[in-house]
Amino acid sequence: MTPAPNAEMSGSQTSGSQTLIALVENRPGVLNRVTTLLRRRHFDLLTLSMGRSEDPDRSRLTLTVGGGSAGARRVADHLIKLVEVLHVEPLFDQPAVRRDLALIKIRPDAAELPAVNALCSAFRARIVDVSPGSTIVEITGEQSKIERFVALLTPYGLAELARSECVAMCRGASGFGASDHSVGQTTSQTTSQTTSSTSPNPTS
Amino acid sequence: MANESTRVSDSARAAGQPEGGRELTGAEIVCACLQREGVDVVFGYPGGAILPTYDALCRSGGIHHVLTRHEQGASHMADGYARSSGRVGVAIATSGPGATNLVTGIATAMMDSSPLVCLTGQVSTTVLGSDAFQEADVLGITMPITKHNVMVTRVEDLAEILHEAFAIARSGRPGPVVVDLPKDVQLARTLYDPDRPLPVVPVKTSMTPLDAEIEAARNLIAEARRPVILAGNGINISGASEQLRRLAEDTGIPVSLTLLGKGAFPEDHPLSLGMMGMHGDAAANLAIQAADLIIALGMRFDDRVTGTLSTYAPKSKKIHVDLDRSEIGKNVAVDVGVVGDLKAVLTRLLVGIAATVDEGWTAQIREWKDHSKTLDVVHQPCDGRLWAARVIRDLCELTDGEAVTVTDVGQHQMFEAQYYTHRRPRTLITSGGLGTMGFGLPAALGAKLAQPHEEVWAIVGDGGFQMTLAELATAVQEQIAVKIAIINNGYLGMVRQWQELFYEERYYATPLANPDFCKIAEAYGVPSVRVSQRRDVAPAVAWCRSVNDGPCLVEFVVESHDVVYPMVPAGAALDEMIRRPARASTMAGVSR
C-alpha cells in the first residue's frame, strides 16, 4: 500500500497496527464486500472478526490493520463508502477493551499437568477439556497476553490453536459513535437527501 | 442471516408487501420503475434469462430500447448518455456472457464517476450456484468495479431495490450499480404501488464543511503569491463551472484542467492554463511545479496528472476540495482538505475571497504560454502532409469549438485534449481513468441520443475503432446522426510512441494491417469520405456537418510517425517534459 507521501508524518502515523470497529447490515455477502475492498486497495489487514451486535439487523466487525493511524483513517474512509457499511470508527488512542479468545490443545504428560494448572491460574485461563492424551485450555485477553501464554504452553506439546482474533469495545458511557473520529450513523438512519446537484431524470 | 440477499430499507421490510396497487410481474415492475425514474432510453442485448423483462418492455411502451451489437457497446452507450446529460444511463444484458460483456463498460464508468444502472438477467433462484446454462457470478465479478451491486431474490423487494439503485448511482460521487435479476423473480407476481415514496440514500459522512475549514482555505488563498487552480471532473458533476469562473476572475488565479475536467472552465479564457499532466500544456506543468499554492477542486491527483509523487509541486501548500473524503490525502498530502459538494463549497468560499497574485507570476505564466505556442505543430509551416494535431485543430475551428466530442483512447485522444478548445461542461466525453479503447463510438451514440440537439463527433483511432466498430450497425438501425472521425495512422499510435521513445524503436505488435474503412462504412450503409491532404479537411468536415439523417464517417489518413508532445516520461517530475523539437525542419526528422 502507498501511504500519502507526507514528510511530516511521524512513525506511528504510518506504521503499527490500529483497531477499527464497523457496524454493517446483517446480510449475506457483506463480509465479501468488505474483504474485496480491503484486498483490491492493498490495505494491510491483520485480523478481522465478525459477529452479532446489540441489533439483530446489524453485524459488528472488529478489524486490525497495519499502516498506523493514517492507514486506519484510509481504511475507514473507504469502508464507509460501501452502501451496507453503516458506521466505522478507528479507535486510535481511545481507552478500549480489546480481547482475543484462544482455544489451545496441548498434549502434556500426566507429570506435567500440575505445571500446566499453575500456568493456567497465573494467566486466569481455564482447562475446558481433559481427554486421554490431550487437554484444551481456554484463555481470553489482549493479544500480547495470549501470545505469551501460548509460548509458555508450547513445550507441553502444542497440538492445535484456534483464535477468535480481536474484538473491541470503547470504555465509558459515551460509547461507539461518539468519538470525533467516527464516520457514519449508529442508530437512526439520516433521512436528509444527499447534496448532489443531479436530480432524478426528468420524466419524458 | 436476516434476509435474502437483497437490500431494502427497514421501513420497506417492516411493511412487507406493498399495500394497494396492481398485481404485476417482476418484469412489469422493472418497466414501471424505469418509467418512474424518467428513463426514456435503455441500451441492451436480449437473451434467455432477461427475456421476461424484454417482453414487458415491448408491451409497456414508453421506453425506447437501443439494440447494440455487443453488450460492451450497451454499457459504453449508457455511459456516454450519462456523461453528456448528467442523467442515469441504463444498460440491460442477459445472464452469463451477456453480463460479463458489460464488465469493461462498468469499470470505465466506475473510474470516471459516471452514473449507470445495469440490469442483468440471472438464472432462476432455484438453480443458482449449480453451474446452470449461462450462469455467472455477476455479483462477485462486478463487486470491485461498482459503487454497489445487488441480486433481487424476492419480487416483493424489487421496486424498492431498483429505485434505490438509481438513487445510489446518482447521489454523492456518482457510479455504476448492477442489479442482478433472476428469471423466476422477473416472472413472479406481486402487488406494485406506483405511489410509494422513493427511497433515499442515507448520508453517512458530513458533506457540510465547517466554517473553520472554509476560512482556512480562504486564508491560504489570501497569503499565496504564486497560486494555481487545478479543476477536475467534480466541477462538471457538481455543476460548479460558474462558481469556478468566479473564483478565478475574483482572484486572478490561473486555472488548469484535468482531462476529465475539460469544459469546466473555458479554455479560451485569459486565465486558462490548459490541461495538466503527462501530455498537458507545458505552461500548466511548469506552473504547478513552481506554484506556492495548489487549489485542487474535484480532481484526484491521478498518476497521469502528477508524474512522480515525490517531486510533485514541491514548493506549494495544497487545498483539496472533493465530495469523496477518501480522495483527500490519498496520493498527495494536503494542508487543507474540505469534504463537500463543489458548488456549495465554492459558493461559501467566494464570500469575501481575496488574493494578491504576484505580477511576476502572471508574467511568467504568459511567457511559458507564449513559448509553448512557438513549439506548437499547428504554428509551424504546413508541409502539405496531414498531421493528426492539425486535423483536430481544424475540426475545432470549423465547428467553432461547440461540438460534443467523444474520443477513444490513445494519441488522437491526447491531440483532441490539446487542440480542441472546450468551453462548456460535458462537451468532451472520454475514458480518462480506465483508458478504455473501444469506448469512443458507442459512447458517442449514447451522447447523441441524450442530447439530440448537439453536434456529436466520435474521434477515434484506427485501433480502438476496430474494437467496437460493429456498433456502426446500431447507429444505422437507430439513425443516430453522429459524425465519426477516424484518425488513421496505421499503428497503435500511443504504444508506438512509447516504443519509439523508450524501447529503442522496436515497433512490435503495433503496426496495423487495416481494412478499407470507407468500404466497411459502405457495407454498413454509412456514407463516408477519405482525406489524406490538409486541403481536403475543411470540405470533408463541411460535408459531414450536412449529414443529419444518420451517421457519417471521415477517415483521416495521417502521418504514422508522430509523437504527442509534451510528454512527461514515466518516473519523471512533472516539469521534466520531452518537448516537441523546436524547428519545423526537425518534423521531417521525426518522420522516419
Side-chain angles (χ1 to χ4, degrees), chain B residues 93-117:
Chain B
T94 192
S95 63
T100 58
N101 279 346
L102 291 176
V103 163
T104 302
I106 296 171
T108 305
M110 183 68 175
M111 279 290 255
D112 291 346
S113 309
S114 180
L116 298 193
V117 168

Side-chain angles (χ1 to χ4, degrees), chain A residues 4-6 25-28 33 40 77-78 80-83 85 184 190-192 194 196-198 200-202 204, chain B residues 1-2 6-8 13 37-38 40 86-88 143-144 148-149 170-172 204 237-238 324-326 329 331 333:
Chain A
N6 185 339
E25 292 188 35
N26 180 9
R27 297 178 193 285
R33 219 177 275 284
R40 84 178 170 95
D77 286 346
H78 281 284
I80 197 62
K81 288 163 70 176
L82 297 178
V83 170
V85 174
T190 314
T191 49
S192 60
T194 58
S196 168
S197 61
T198 40
N201 293 342
S204 54
Chain B
M1 291 285 176
T6 57
R7 185 176 190 282
V8 288
R13 219 179 302 145
E37 292 288 344
D40 54 357
R87 304 195 292 269
V88 177
M143 195 173 283
H148 188 58
N149 66 9
R170 70 165 77 93
S171 68
K204 293 187 285 187
I237 293 171
S238 171
D324 182 348
R325 181 185 299 271
S326 70
N331 295 334

Side-chain angles (χ1 to χ4, degrees), chain A residues 2-9 23 25-37 39-41 43 50 55-59 73-87 180 182-185 187-204, chain B residues 1-10 13 35-40 62 86-88 110 139-140 143-150 164 166 168 170-174 199-205 207-208 237-239 309-310 323-335 341 343 426:
Chain A
T2 320
N6 185 339
E8 292 109 83
M9 278 187 180
L23 272 187
E25 292 188 35
N26 180 9
R27 297 178 193 285
V30 174
L31 182 60
N32 187 191
R33 219 177 275 284
V34 168
T35 54
T36 295
L37 170 67
R39 175 194 53 74
R40 84 178 170 95
R41 296 245 174 227
F43 290 136
M50 184 177 187
D55 180 344
D57 290 337
R58 285 156 195 209
S59 304
R73 163 66 66 204
R74 266 159 47 76
V75 171
D77 286 346
H78 281 284
L79 276 179
I80 197 62
K81 288 163 70 176
L82 297 178
V83 170
E84 288 157 327
V85 174
L86 304 169
H87 184 88
D180 294 343
S182 65
V183 279
Q185 80 283 82
T187 47
S188 60
Q189 296 227 328
T190 314
T191 49
S192 60
Q193 182 57 277
T194 58
T195 52
S196 168
S197 61
T198 40
S199 52
N201 293 342
T203 306
S204 54
Chain B
M1 291 285 176
N3 207 333
E4 305 296 324
S5 52
T6 57
R7 185 176 190 282
V8 288
S9 74
D10 294 344
R13 219 179 302 145
Q35 285 178 333
R36 198 171 168 200
E37 292 288 344
V39 174
D40 54 357
R87 304 195 292 269
V88 177
M110 183 68 175
L139 234 53
M143 195 173 283
I145 54 164
T146 49
K147 186 173 177 189
H148 188 58
N149 66 9
V150 59
E164 194 172 61
F166 276 86
I168 291 168
R170 70 165 77 93
S171 68
R173 181 175 179 176
V200 169
V201 180
V203 178
K204 293 187 285 187
T205 55
M207 299 292 180
T208 312
I237 293 171
S238 171
L309 280 173
S310 58
L323 190 62
D324 182 348
R325 181 185 299 271
S326 70
E327 292 295 350
I328 310 277
K330 183 181 80 174
N331 295 334
V332 171
V334 297
D335 300 275
D341 175 68
K343 191 172 188 170
R426 302 188 185 278

Side-chain angles (χ1 to χ4, degrees), chain A residues 104-120 133-135 137 148-160:
Chain A
I104 309 158
K105 185 180 279 184
I106 50 176
R107 302 193 199 285
D109 295 340
E112 292 170 332
L113 277 174
V116 169
N117 268 322
L119 270 177
C120 288
S134 83
T135 299
V137 182
R148 275 183 290 133
F149 184 63
V150 171
L152 288 167
L153 281 187
T154 300
Y156 301 103
L158 180 66
E160 284 182 52

Side-chain angles (χ1 to χ4, degrees), chain B residues 31-264:
Chain B
C31 297
C33 290
L34 291 179
Q35 285 178 333
R36 198 171 168 200
E37 292 288 344
V39 174
D40 54 357
V41 58
V42 296
F43 306 91
Y45 206 108
I50 195 70
L51 210 42
T53 293
Y54 268 82
D55 192 51
L57 274 173
C58 165
R59 285 183 287 107
S60 80
I63 297 172
H64 181 64
H65 176 268
V66 173
L67 175 65
T68 64
R69 293 304 181 270
H70 187 286
E71 290 86 350
Q72 183 183 351
S75 46
H76 289 327
M77 282 181 213
D79 192 354
Y81 177 96
R83 292 186 200 219
S84 75
S85 66
R87 304 195 292 269
V88 177
V90 180
I92 306 182
T94 192
S95 63
T100 58
N101 279 346
L102 291 176
V103 163
T104 302
I106 296 171
T108 305
M110 183 68 175
M111 279 290 255
D112 291 346
S113 309
S114 180
L116 298 193
V117 168
C118 298
L119 306 176
T120 51
Q122 181 55 278
V123 302
S124 289
T125 54
T126 48
V127 295
L128 268 175
S130 71
D131 304 316
F133 178 65
Q134 292 195 327
E135 180 180 2
D137 176 15
V138 173
L139 234 53
I141 290 167
T142 60
M143 195 173 283
I145 54 164
T146 49
K147 186 173 177 189
H148 188 58
N149 66 9
V150 59
M151 181 192 286
V152 185
T153 53
R154 300 186 335 141
V155 71
E156 295 80 9
D157 301 330
L158 176 59
E160 182 85 5
I161 289 173
L162 279 172
H163 288 306
E164 194 172 61
F166 276 86
I168 291 168
R170 70 165 77 93
S171 68
R173 181 175 179 176
V177 178
V178 169
V179 182
D180 206 22
L181 300 167
K183 190 170 186 180
D184 55 343
V185 174
Q186 297 170 54
L187 294 168
R189 304 180 75 85
T190 190
L191 289 175
Y192 172 71
D193 177 1
D195 300 321
R196 258 173 72 135
L198 292 173
V200 169
V201 180
V203 178
K204 293 187 285 187
T205 55
S206 169
M207 299 292 180
T208 312
L210 304 171
D211 286 337
E213 294 172 303
I214 303 279
E215 190 61 31
R218 207 182 281 127
N219 289 342
L220 281 186
I221 292 169
E223 290 162 13
R225 295 293 170 265
R226 289 174 284 118
V228 58
I229 295 168
L230 310 184
N233 196 25
I235 297 283
N236 293 329
I237 293 171
S238 171
S241 54
E242 181 57 29
Q243 286 71 18
L244 171 63
R245 195 183 54 73
R246 277 191 53 204
L247 175 65
E249 290 177 351
D250 289 0
T251 60
I253 302 176
V255 179
S256 177
L257 299 171
T258 67
L259 175 63
L260 288 186
K262 278 175 72 78

